[in-house]
């Protein structure tokens, strides 16, 4: 065509410049359709961030008009995919089947919001209209909403944005895990654009650049100009390298498990949902849940495999690691269910132990059903010991009991800091077990005895004829204290009661933020201790009690109604 046109030298140079921009090729409608369809497929298969939230992505187009076209085309394919998933779910429901994966895909499709992000210009509405495009609703949305803040917020459903120049430099959204590049660029602009996806975020091993415009032909030159990554490493790698890293991580995890008597291959080969598989899972959990170092190392292996697997998706090589990743995730979830902070209480322990012993299995179906609290003092420890002796999964039961006791102690210490000796005792028992100085049966017996002590401590305020609040003040005054007679203990209790009543009257709103209010509290403490404490309290001990009592009220009583004891 060029030869037939008989162009002169100047015209040929102009044509070469135009063709070098690849604009006409990149903006062909059929090509944009293909790219839009691929973006929908890829983004939905990309997976989640480590905290379970869908990642966010930017689509970079060659100019404003093309960015608007891409928005429209992606939105159309997105709607078609939503209709397809809806139909498949309806069909499966009629057939009595369930698909959690399909339901999650529907949730992402339904909740995800998209936005066009382009700079304004004069007469842009008319210019876009001449190209058959309507930018007005998009411009109104850009003017009306803080789209930059929304895109940075991982809780916000704005997950997919379409840009051509804006946000490519100087804009940081750490949870942005994918950039779809469909715009020729080089040097500084290319490096800045890549940087949009490489910000650190929890659960994000890497950012992903999907290159539709063969941009990475310019990458080596850009790296030569602007330098390599930190420590001399390459900031950009081919995704095949992730597959190799994932394979190594999966092999290391399997080797670690096998070294502790767990064959992941055997668990994976068992029939899903069968009693045999549930039993294998229960046995594996018992091997990996204790001691603490074994559990922590296993969970670290599982996190690495899951992170690399999510980073690799939707690469075809990810499929071969799906079963291994799912197996590790199942075991990790079972372990966390039993020892996770704040998620296990005594009722879960007793129900779980009984279920394990009655059914001889503890599989994926065993979950905490309630959060009802049970008084530790009401547990039949004789029966509990007998069950423990017969149990095939002693590690699991021990870890559940440990988690329950630790949660109980931490709550008791939060209310009354003088009980910290219980926490120290608990840690000593665990350290002795982890170091090999105590066996599992000895630790179980020690924990049972400690639990009895906790029950007695929880009821001590009744024996002392004090409320929980008064008991804390009394303990601060008497731990430590000189040897006190029965009459002197009664005197100190009276001081504790009077002090609590007097100070609560002084603790008005924001008392901690005003120096005169703080001074009144200190004076009240000094006055009551000076007049009420027995003479056996030395000056040094008196000063220590004043300081500790002030710290206690400062920490626990923001005001008289808002305190830890009013909950």
């Amino acid at each position: 065509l060029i030869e037939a046109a008989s162009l002169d030298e100047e015209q040929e140079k102009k044509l070469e410049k135009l063709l070098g921009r690849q604009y006409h090729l990149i903006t062909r409608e059929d090509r944009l359709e293909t790219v839009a369809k691929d973006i929908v497929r890829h983004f939905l298969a990309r997976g989640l961030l480590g905290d379970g939230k869908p990642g966010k992505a930017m689509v970079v187009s060659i100019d404003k008009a093309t960015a608007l076209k891409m928005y429209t085309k992606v939105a159309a394919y997105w709607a078609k995919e939503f209709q397809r998933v809806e139909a498949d779910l309806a069909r499966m429901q009629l057939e009595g089947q369930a698909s959690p994966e399909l339901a999650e895909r529907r949730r992402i499709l339904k909740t995800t919001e998209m936005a066009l992000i382009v700079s304004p210009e004069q007469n842009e509405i008319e210019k876009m209209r001449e190209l058959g495009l309507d930018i007005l609703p998009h411009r109104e949305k850009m003017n009306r909403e803080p789209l930059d803040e929304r895109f940075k917020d991982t809780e916000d459903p704005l997950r997919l944005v379409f840009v051509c120049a804006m946000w490519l430099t100087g804009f940081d959204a750490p949870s942005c895990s994918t950039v779809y590049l469909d715009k020729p660029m080089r040097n500084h602009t290319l490096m800045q654009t890549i940087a949009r996806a490489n910000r650190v975020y929890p659960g994000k091993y890497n950012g992903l650049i999907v290159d539709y415009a063969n941009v990475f032909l310019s990458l080596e030159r850009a790296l030569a100009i602007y330098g390599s990554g930190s420590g001399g490493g390459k900031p950009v790698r081919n995704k095949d390298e992730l597959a190799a890293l994932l394979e190594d991580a999966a092999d290391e995890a399997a080797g670690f498990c096998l070294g502790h008597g767990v064959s992941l291959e055997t668990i994976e080969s068992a029939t899903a949902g069968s009693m045999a598989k549930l039993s294998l899972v229960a046995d594996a959990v018992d091997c990996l849940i204790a001691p603490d170092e074994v559990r922590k190392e296993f969970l670290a292996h599982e996190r690495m495999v899951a992170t690399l697997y999510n980073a690799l998706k939707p690469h075809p090589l990810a499929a071969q690691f799906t079963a291994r990743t799912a197996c590790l995730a199942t075991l990790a979830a079972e372990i966390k269910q039993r020892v996770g902070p704040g998620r296990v209480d005594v009722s879960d322990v007793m129900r779980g132990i009984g279920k394990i012993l009655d059914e001889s299995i503890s599989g994926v179906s065993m979950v905490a059903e309630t959060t009802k609290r049970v008084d530790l003092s009401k547990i039949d420890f004789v029966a509990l010991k007998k069950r423990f002796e017969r149990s095939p999964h002693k590690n699991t039961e021990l870890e559940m009991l440990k988690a329950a006791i630790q949660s109980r102690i931490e709550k008791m210490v939060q209310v009354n800091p003088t009980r910290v000796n219980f926490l120290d005792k608990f840690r000593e028992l665990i350290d002795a077990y982890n170091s090999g100085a105590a066996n599992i049966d000895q630790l179980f017996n020690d924990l049972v005895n400690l639990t009895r002590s906790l029950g007695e401590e929880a009821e001590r305020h009744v024996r002392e004829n004090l409320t929980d609040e008064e008991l804390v003040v009394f303990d601060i005054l008497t731990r430590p204290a000189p040897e006190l007679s029965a009459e002197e203990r009664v005197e100190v209790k009276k001081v504790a009661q009077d002090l609590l009543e007097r100070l609560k009257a002084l603790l008005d709103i924001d008392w901690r933020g005003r120096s005169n209010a703080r001074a009144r509290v200190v004076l009240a403490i000094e006055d009551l201790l000076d007049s009420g404490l027995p003479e056996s309290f030395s000056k040094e001990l008196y000063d220590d009690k004043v300081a500790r009592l002030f710290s206690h009220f400062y920490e626990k009583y923001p005001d008289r109604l808002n305190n830890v004891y009013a909950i």
Side-chain angles (χ1 to χ4, degrees):
L1 284 173
I2 293 171
E3 289 176 356
S6 300
L7 302 177
D8 60 29
E9 184 176 353
E10 185 177 346
Q11 289 173 320
E12 283 190 4
K13 287 183 178 179
K14 183 176 181 180
L15 184 59
E16 286 176 5
K17 186 176 181 180
L18 288 172
L19 292 175
R21 293 174 182 166
Q22 307 174 29
Y23 184 85
H24 299 286
L25 175 64
I26 286 175
T27 57
R28 283 179 60 87
E29 289 294 327
D30 58 346
R31 180 185 177 282
L32 295 181
E33 290 285 344
T34 302
V35 171
K37 187 176 183 179
D38 191 66
I39 288 173
V40 173
R41 176 201 64 81
H42 186 277
F43 182 76
L44 290 172
R46 178 78 170 106
L48 306 177
L49 293 171
D51 54 5
K53 303 180 181 68
K56 303 209 173 189
M58 301 174 69
V59 179
V60 184
S61 295
I62 195 168
D63 61 8
K64 183 186 297 188
T66 310
L68 179 50
K69 285 182 181 180
M70 286 302 298
Y71 174 97
T72 305
K73 294 179 186 298
V74 168
Y77 282 111
W78 195 272
K80 286 182 181 179
E81 179 64 10
F82 180 72
Q83 292 172 0
R84 184 193 69 79
V85 170
E86 286 270 69
D88 287 349
L89 281 173
R91 175 181 54 78
M92 295 181 71
Q93 189 173 7
L94 288 174
E95 296 173 356
Q97 299 178 348
S99 174
E101 296 82 5
L102 205 58
E104 175 63 10
R105 190 178 184 89
R106 178 188 180 278
R107 184 184 73 82
I108 300 300
L109 282 162
K110 185 176 181 180
T111 60
T112 295
E113 190 177 331
M114 308 176 193
L116 179 71
I117 310 293
V118 292
S119 57
E121 62 175 321
Q122 283 188 331
N123 302 320
E124 71 172 358
I125 295 175
E126 289 74 14
K127 289 180 180 179
M128 293 298 109
R129 191 170 293 150
E130 290 175 1
L131 298 172
L133 304 170
D134 183 10
I135 199 173
L136 179 59
H138 298 280
R139 179 57 61 197
E140 290 177 344
K141 182 172 184 174
M142 285 182 267
N143 293 335
R144 182 177 66 249
E145 300 181 19
L147 297 178
D148 54 344
E149 296 177 11
R150 292 189 57 198
F151 189 67
K152 294 177 183 180
D153 183 0
T154 56
E155 303 286 349
D156 195 286
L158 178 60
R159 301 183 182 120
L160 197 55
V161 296
F162 297 78
V163 305
C164 62
M166 287 185 67
W167 289 14
L168 295 187
T169 60
F171 175 77
D172 284 331
S175 62
C176 179
S177 57
T178 313
V179 171
Y180 297 100
L181 274 184
D182 197 24
K183 174 182 180 177
M185 55 180 64
R186 57 187 177 179
N187 298 344
H188 177 71
T189 306
L190 173 57
M191 299 304 292
Q192 284 288 307
T193 302
I194 289 173
R196 296 317 100 210
N198 77 349
R199 296 307 189 236
V200 175
Y201 189 80
K204 177 182 168 186
Y205 181 79
N206 64 286
L208 179 65
I209 308 296
V210 181
D211 178 21
Y212 294 110
N214 209 15
V215 166
F216 286 99
L217 286 176
S218 305
L219 180 61
E220 292 300 327
R221 181 180 177 188
L223 290 176
I225 296 172
Y226 296 100
S228 59
S230 60
K234 292 166 59 181
V236 179
R237 298 180 182 178
N238 189 291
K239 207 172 183 185
D240 290 343
E241 293 186 37
L242 267 180
L245 290 173
L246 175 55
E247 183 176 11
D248 290 343
D251 289 345
E252 288 178 10
F256 175 82
C257 292
L258 197 60
H260 290 83
V262 176
S263 170
L264 298 180
E265 188 175 350
T266 302
I267 297 174
E268 293 162 18
S269 61
T271 303
S274 65
M275 296 291 286
K277 186 152 192 166
L278 294 177
S279 182
L280 286 170
V281 169
D283 292 342
V285 168
D286 196 61
C287 292
L288 298 170
I289 200 170
D292 293 351
E293 291 307 314
V294 171
R295 180 175 67 252
K296 290 175 182 176
E297 191 168 349
F298 167 74
L299 293 177
H301 280 295
E302 187 275 332
R303 279 195 303 271
M304 179 55 70
V305 171
T307 299
L308 291 171
Y309 176 75
N310 284 329
L312 184 61
K313 290 194 308 182
H315 196 291
L317 289 175
Q320 63 183 291
F321 300 101
T322 300
R324 179 57 43 88
T325 304
C327 180
L328 290 168
T330 298
L331 296 179
E334 287 293 294
I335 289 173
K336 292 174 183 176
Q337 178 65 44
R338 287 154 178 75
V339 301
R343 299 173 62 186
V344 180
D345 60 22
V346 176
S347 61
D348 297 331
V349 175
M350 300 310 298
R351 182 171 56 254
I353 290 175
K355 194 167 185 178
I356 289 173
L357 294 167
D358 292 342
E359 302 179 7
S360 298
I361 63 167
S362 171
V364 294
S365 60
M366 178 185 164
V367 296
E369 297 170 357
T370 71
T371 56
K372 180 181 178 182
R373 299 289 174 186
V374 174
D375 190 338
L376 281 169
S377 65
K378 296 179 182 178
I379 294 177
D380 185 346
F381 288 105
V382 175
L384 182 60
K385 282 187 176 182
K386 290 180 179 179
R387 290 177 180 176
F388 182 77
E389 291 169 359
R390 300 194 305 266
S391 172
H393 298 132
K394 289 188 175 182
N395 282 333
T396 301
E397 296 166 32
L398 182 69
E399 292 303 317
M400 293 168 68
L401 184 58
K402 279 169 54 181
I405 293 174
Q406 182 171 354
S407 176
R408 175 69 167 167
I409 293 176
E410 287 173 350
K411 289 181 175 64
M412 291 176 66
V413 172
Q414 182 183 18
V415 171
N416 188 342
T418 66
R419 292 167 172 163
V420 71
N421 59 306
F422 286 101
L423 190 57
D424 292 338
K425 177 62 176 176
F426 175 78
R427 289 169 176 163
E428 286 175 11
L429 294 177
I430 304 305
D431 289 343
Y433 174 67
N434 288 337
S435 66
N439 60 36
I440 190 170
D441 294 288
Q442 182 179 344
L443 176 60
F444 186 86
N445 290 331
D446 290 339
L447 289 176
V448 167
N449 293 331
L450 179 60
T451 304
R452 288 198 180 99
S453 300
L454 294 178
E456 294 171 1
E457 172 64 19
E459 296 299 321
R460 186 165 60 88
H461 71 94
V462 177
R463 297 193 302 274
E464 296 285 3
N465 197 26
L466 296 168
T467 66
D468 278 325
E469 281 185 275
E470 293 168 346
L471 181 65
V472 179
V473 178
F474 176 73
D475 286 344
I476 292 173
L477 290 172
T478 56
R479 294 179 174 177
E483 188 70 29
L484 298 175
S485 65
E487 292 78 10
E488 287 176 328
R489 285 180 62 84
V490 172
E491 291 177 20
V492 176
K493 287 181 183 179
K494 183 67 167 60
V495 172
Q497 292 170 324
D498 291 345
L499 184 63
L500 185 64
E501 182 180 0
R502 173 89 65 89
L503 291 189
K504 290 182 77 170
L506 297 176
L507 304 181
D508 50 8
I509 295 175
D510 193 34
W511 73 272
R512 298 184 301 185
R514 292 179 286 112
S515 59
N516 59 338
R518 296 195 302 271
R520 284 200 302 270
V521 170
V522 173
L523 287 173
I525 295 173
E526 291 175 341
D527 180 54
L528 280 168
L529 297 194
D530 188 49
S531 61
L533 285 182
E535 293 183 359
S536 55
F537 280 76
S538 67
K539 178 66 168 62
E540 291 76 17
L541 196 56
Y542 166 86
D543 292 338
D544 176 67
K545 300 304 182 185
V546 171
R548 290 179 60 194
L549 283 168
F550 178 80
S551 295
H552 167 68
F553 281 95
Y554 188 90
E555 178 183 350
K556 305 294 185 183
Y557 290 85
D559 59 61
R560 68 175 67 93
L561 298 178
N562 180 25
N563 59 74
V564 297
Y565 308 99
I567 299 175

